[in-house]
Amino acid sequence: MGAPFKAYDVRGRIPAEINVPFAYRFSQALKQSLNPGTVVIGHDMRMDSPALAEALTQGLLDSGVDVRPVGRCGTEEVYFHTAASGADAGLMVTASHNPPDYNGIKMVLKGASAATPDNAFNGIEEIMRSDAVLQPVADYAARGALHDLCDRDAYIERLLNEVAGQDLKPMKIVCHAGNGCAGPIIDLLEKHLPFTFIKIDHKPDPRLPNGVPNPLLPEKREKASKAVIEHGADLAIAWDGDFDRCFLYDHKGRFVEGYYLVGMIAQSLLAKHPGGTILYDPRLTWNTIDMVESAGGVAKPCRTGHAYFKKMMREENAIYGGEMSAHHYFRDFAYCDSGMLAWLDVVADLSASGTTLAERLEERIAAYPCSGEINFTVSDAAEVQKRISDHYMPQNPEIESQDGLGMVFDDWRFNLRASNTEPLLRLNVETRGDKALLKAKVDELRGMIEGVG
């Protein structure tokens, strides 16, 4: 039973680890552990997701909990409706970018605050692992109520409010939904925006005929990149399956590292909220700090991971937080991540500046070239990190320990952190305007990691 419970969600193979009985008992355990009155439930496009969402719904109704269904949607729609409706929790059935034989449950609590092991998952798992017989309510009158589908128009209105009153310029934009859930949202936004959308793999398809939507994989980028060039588009947007992350390509078809978008979106929001606080993850930092501080904002690091960001966003009342993995968090979106607000902010910024995405980013890439995230399979991540640390300590670097091993030198820095779910070490390196140094240090670290891994 324990295998599907990860650090901040539930995720596992279908049907061995996650199935309809699992989902039903999860709902019963949720009721017993947290005693919610109302729960929002949505699901992605995967083959098993509707049945799992139905089992969650039935388990809650049978336990006396009201349910507000969203239907097929993106994760951020569950966040939005949980916060907007005042529900006590929200559940999203999705495996995002995992392989087709996986599924899972993402969860938020009241106000769309982060569900963590301490405040949610440990209690639910403990009940599910026990021999406790979880009984439904005694009679029909005590069952929960099933509400109408949540009003998607309210969510679309919130997205459009992000660019309300701004002079958006006509653009040609390639949209690569990867047969995930983003396509229908673009269709709803389209009539309100002065953009021509070129749609590829647009319709949600549970068969995933073009593979799992994961634009972080280089082999998944070719379609969007080619389409930009073929159609003479201004840029392209791609999403993962539940569209809580968005990825951009410039007009030359080049994939944009998520790191550089953090600073760009931060400056856009600081123009609306002067002096605001911006959170960034510790893997790559210099460009973000530079852009935030030059715009009069306050830049603060936050440990990688959505639960950490959502918690610190609230604590700091941060207006925005960005991870280089393409999660973008917004104070005015219940401090949650949105794969739609991010690209809307970018195109509004381009409209206001009259520049292209390539022009905006090339200067930043030249100022702070980075390696992008490089993954290494290792047998003992802690041992590798120790040996790397021992090698560089004589050079007296500044040590960053907020998330993995970070070492900062005068003209370069790196972060080496272990994956929470796989036997991987993830390396990120950046320099101050020196591409040759970047290559040299990546090669140097690669040699040491592979040599001891």
Side-chain angles (χ1 to χ4, degrees):
M1 181 64 70
F5 283 85
K6 308 302 179 184
Y8 294 100
D9 61 8
V10 175
R11 209 167 57 250
R13 290 186 179 274
I14 296 286
E17 295 177 308
I18 292 182
N19 48 45
V20 164
F22 176 95
Y24 185 88
R25 188 168 171 83
F26 182 96
S27 279
Q28 289 184 302
L30 169 60
K31 164 61 177 178
Q32 183 166 320
S33 176
L34 299 178
N35 194 31
T38 304
V39 175
V40 171
I41 294 181
H43 64 82
D44 71 9
M45 71 292 163
R46 288 176 182 250
M47 192 76 72
D48 299 279
S49 293
L52 292 172
E54 180 58 34
L56 289 172
T57 299
Q58 197 64 52
L60 289 169
L61 294 177
D62 289 351
S63 301
V65 181
D66 292 353
V67 173
R68 293 184 178 275
V70 187
R72 188 185 66 202
C73 64
T75 295
E76 66 187 64
E77 292 182 79
V78 169
Y79 295 163
F80 172 82
H81 289 296
T82 300
S85 69
D88 299 295
L91 301 175
M92 174 68 181
V93 178
T94 181
S96 186
H97 58 278
N98 284 107
D101 61 333
Y102 276 74
N103 219 316
I105 303 168
K106 294 182 179 180
M107 180 177 177
V108 288
L109 302 180
K110 194 173 185 66
S113 61
T116 69
D118 290 339
N119 68 17
F121 289 115
N122 286 347
I124 295 171
E125 182 180 10
E126 183 178 349
I127 293 169
M128 292 184 71
R129 288 174 63 88
S130 73
D131 296 327
V133 177
L134 303 179
Q135 298 287 355
V137 292
D139 56 71
Y140 186 84
R143 294 178 75 250
L146 181 63
H147 294 261
D148 292 335
L149 278 174
C150 292
D151 180 11
R152 179 167 268 177
D153 289 343
Y155 163 70
I156 295 297
E157 181 180 353
R158 169 61 190 92
L159 298 184
L160 292 170
N161 282 344
E162 193 72 5
V163 294
Q166 301 186 55
D167 184 19
L168 298 178
K169 309 300 183 187
M171 292 186 191
K172 187 183 291 186
I173 300 175
V174 168
C175 292
H176 187 195
N179 301 117
C181 294
I185 303 303
I186 295 301
D187 293 341
L188 291 172
L189 291 172
E190 186 173 23
K191 58 188 174 184
H192 302 285
L193 299 169
F195 307 139
T196 300
F197 291 109
I198 296 110
K199 304 169 183 177
I200 52 179
D201 299 340
H202 193 68
K203 293 183 178 180
D205 191 330
R207 299 167 300 171
L208 297 176
N210 297 289
V212 175
N214 183 8
L216 274 180
L217 299 176
E219 63 269 23
K220 295 293 183 182
R221 301 174 186 173
E222 187 176 0
K223 275 189 179 180
S225 180
K226 282 186 173 180
V228 171
I229 296 167
E230 289 172 1
H231 293 274
D234 295 284
L235 70 153
I237 313 164
W239 296 269
D240 57 0
D242 61 335
F243 69 84
D244 59 350
R245 297 182 298 157
C246 78
F247 306 81
L248 299 187
Y249 302 73
D250 67 17
H251 72 280
K252 300 177 182 179
R254 295 178 300 185
F255 180 80
V256 176
E257 286 288 346
Y259 170 42
Y260 298 107
L261 292 177
V262 176
M264 185 174 176
I265 295 173
Q267 285 197 335
S268 174
L269 290 171
L270 283 167
K272 304 175 188 176
H273 307 283
T277 296
I278 305 293
L279 303 189
Y280 61 90
D281 78 64
R283 288 172 287 182
L284 294 168
T285 68
W286 279 345
N287 180 69
T288 303
I289 294 169
D290 185 17
M291 294 188 75
V292 169
E293 292 182 348
S294 68
V298 178
K300 294 187 177 183
C302 179
R303 184 176 174 182
T304 304
H306 75 93
Y308 298 113
F309 264 81
K310 287 168 184 165
K311 181 174 184 290
M312 189 171 174
M313 288 280 292
R314 292 168 184 270
E315 292 171 348
E316 299 288 342
N317 194 30
I319 61 172
Y320 165 72
E323 294 183 270
M324 54 167 283
S325 57
H327 284 283
H328 301 278
Y329 305 83
F330 299 84
R331 181 178 67 187
D332 296 336
F333 195 72
Y335 301 97
C336 290
D337 39 335
S338 168
M340 290 292 165
L341 292 178
W343 73 264
L344 285 166
D345 273 310
V346 168
V347 295
D349 186 281
L350 295 177
S351 291
S353 65
T355 58
T356 67
L357 184 57
E359 290 169 339
R360 290 297 304 276
L361 295 176
E362 281 169 355
E363 176 187 354
R364 307 311 308 177
I365 294 170
Y368 299 102
C370 74
S371 63
E373 194 154 82
I374 306 169
N375 292 319
F376 298 90
T377 301
V378 298
S379 57
D380 188 338
E383 175 61 21
V384 176
Q385 287 173 310
K386 182 179 185 303
R387 295 193 190 187
I388 298 292
S389 176
D390 290 345
H391 174 83
Y392 287 111
M393 281 304 291
Q395 300 179 34
N396 297 315
E398 177 187 344
I399 304 300
E400 296 176 333
S401 57
Q402 187 167 25
D403 197 356
L405 171 65
M407 288 188 149
V408 183
F409 307 85
D410 288 342
D411 50 2
W412 75 285
R413 62 177 296 279
F414 75 87
N415 177 273
L416 188 64
R417 63 185 290 271
S419 167
N420 291 323
T421 58
E422 302 170 271
L424 296 176
L425 271 177
R426 307 188 190 279
L427 172 68
N428 286 277
V429 186
E430 63 183 323
T431 70
R432 296 189 188 278
D434 193 333
K435 290 185 178 180
L437 179 64
L438 176 67
K439 182 182 185 306
K441 292 304 180 183
V442 168
D443 290 345
E444 183 175 283
L445 282 157
R446 184 191 300 276
M448 286 190 284
I449 294 168
E450 293 178 342
V452 301

